[in-house]
Amino acid sequence: MEGPSKVLVIDDEEIIRNFLIDLLVDQGCTVKAVATGEAGYETAMNEDFDLIIIDFMLPGDDGLNIIEHIRRNDPDAIIIVITGYNSIENMRGALRAGAFDYVPKPFDLEQMTFAVRRALASRHHVKTNKRLMKEVSGQNKILEEKVQERTQKLQVAYEDLKNVYLRIITALISAMEAKDSYTAHHSENVAKYSVALAKEMMLPSDEVELIDRAAQLHDIGKIGILDMVLNKPGKLTEEEFDQIKQHPLKAGEILKPLDFLGSAIQLVTHHHERYDGRGYPFGTPGDQIPLGARIIAVADTYDAIMSERPYRVRQFTKEECIEEIRKNIGSQFDPKVVAAFMRIVDNF
Ligand SMILES: [Fe+2]
């Protein structure tokens, strides 16, 4: 509940001060009245007033100056200027300095009462607006905090869900690889080599992470290939090889609903592309193949030839595997990736 309006009167003429005090008290206001600009300014600085009525011409003081000072301290201050020196110029000066109204002397009761009511109504309006704005901004803050809190919780839940999905897929891959002793840990190894290559090529950490994820998932599409084709000892028929060639696309289809994987899916679908454009499934050449996929291709081939295969008479030595990679620079593999591979293969 708001109390009575507080008004400050600054006028050097006692008769005017008393007239205004009577008028304002009749209007239910509490009033302070001072005779000089200096006292008026001091009082206005120390107390909060709903309305200030100031004489334009105070002895020794420029009314305009005082209005500007008061408004600088409180931009919402409502000021009525009264003056015995009525002129358009004075009126303009007062309004320009921030006065709310301008009442020339002599004024009658009705005229001044009207000006005071109008000024107090405006003050009330400004105060109500400010209060409402404060309340709204307080509410907004509470809402913002709630939204932030919920967003954080959702983010945590989303991360949990992502991890569950990834664990399920990884479990699927492990189950698939475990069926065949020759491919056990293949995806894990490919991820390990790919990460080492990506780091050697100074790729940013978010890209290394993407490559790691893609490498772990790269053969998920083999779930959709018949075991008898996948694990066939000996040479594959053309038809069987065509089936095998579908696995990057099948992987893309399996992973597509997991949109958080982003461009990792692209790396998976491109991991059998060749640098000379003769790979599958798209035949994308050279640097048009995503770099991560070119890295996974080298890591994948290296691990595949290092592992025993059912159709192979004997296991390759590490030197033979390295030689196999070297032989395919520029045809199957990106020379930049192989250069990085040669620098770090001793650590594999
Ligand atoms: Fe593959």
Side-chain angles (χ1 to χ4, degrees), residues 186 218-219 222 244 247-248 268 271-272 280 300:
H186 170 66
H218 77 282
D219 269 346
K222 284 186 177 169
I244 295 269
H247 81 272
V268 172
H271 80 273
H272 278 294
Y280 63 88
D300 186 20

Side-chain angles (χ1 to χ4, degrees), residues 151-323:
T151 309
Q152 270 170 3
K153 278 187 182 164
L154 270 178
Q155 193 66 36
V156 170
Y158 181 61
E159 288 297 322
D160 285 350
L161 201 59
K162 264 165 57 175
N163 289 332
V164 168
Y165 274 132
L166 286 173
R167 279 205 296 275
I168 291 170
I169 294 171
T170 312
L172 278 175
I173 293 169
S174 300
M176 183 183 71
E177 291 179 348
K179 280 196 291 185
D180 175 0
S181 62
Y182 301 107
T183 58
H185 306 296
H186 170 66
S187 299
E188 207 179 299
N189 291 341
V190 173
K192 190 175 68 187
Y193 300 145
S194 298
V195 166
L197 284 169
K199 284 184 177 166
E200 175 63 21
M201 294 179 79
M202 316 280 263
L203 297 190
S205 60
D206 54 341
E207 216 162 310
V208 175
E209 206 177 298
L210 198 78
I211 291 168
D212 184 12
R213 193 163 278 181
Q216 293 197 42
L217 305 175
H218 77 282
D219 269 346
I220 182 83
K222 284 186 177 169
I223 281 177
I225 311 287
L226 290 173
D227 276 3
M228 54 179 285
V229 176
L230 212 53
N231 301 320
K232 182 184 173 183
K235 210 170 163 18
L236 296 172
T237 65
E238 199 174 322
E239 204 176 69
E240 287 165 340
F241 191 50
D242 280 344
Q243 278 189 49
I244 295 269
K245 279 170 32 182
Q246 291 298 309
H247 81 272
L249 287 178
K250 283 189 193 291
E253 281 164 28
I254 292 168
L255 300 175
K256 199 175 163 193
L258 308 181
D259 46 9
F260 66 85
L261 289 174
S263 47
I265 298 176
Q266 241 199 329
L267 306 190
V268 172
T269 55
H270 283 78
H271 80 273
H272 278 294
E273 297 297 344
R274 290 171 53 105
Y275 203 66
D276 58 12
R278 289 171 49 235
Y280 63 88
F282 308 110
T284 311
D287 290 353
Q288 287 175 39
I289 308 164
L291 177 57
R294 282 177 265 149
I295 288 174
I296 294 170
V298 172
D300 186 20
T301 306
Y302 177 71
D303 188 65
I305 49 184
M306 277 293 282
S307 314
E308 287 185 52
R309 291 287 170 183
Y311 46 84
R312 226 173 257 157
V313 181
R314 65 170 181 89
Q315 198 180 346
F316 282 149
T317 64
K318 184 168 180 173
E319 287 65 35
E320 285 171 323
C321 294
I322 295 170
E323 190 46 37

Side-chain angles (χ1 to χ4, degrees), residues 136-150:
V136 167
S137 86
Q139 291 290 339
N140 277 349
K141 214 171 161 216
I142 292 171
L143 270 178
E144 265 170 36
E145 279 167 8
K146 276 195 176 158
V147 168
Q148 214 172 5
E149 191 188 317
R150 296 268 160 88

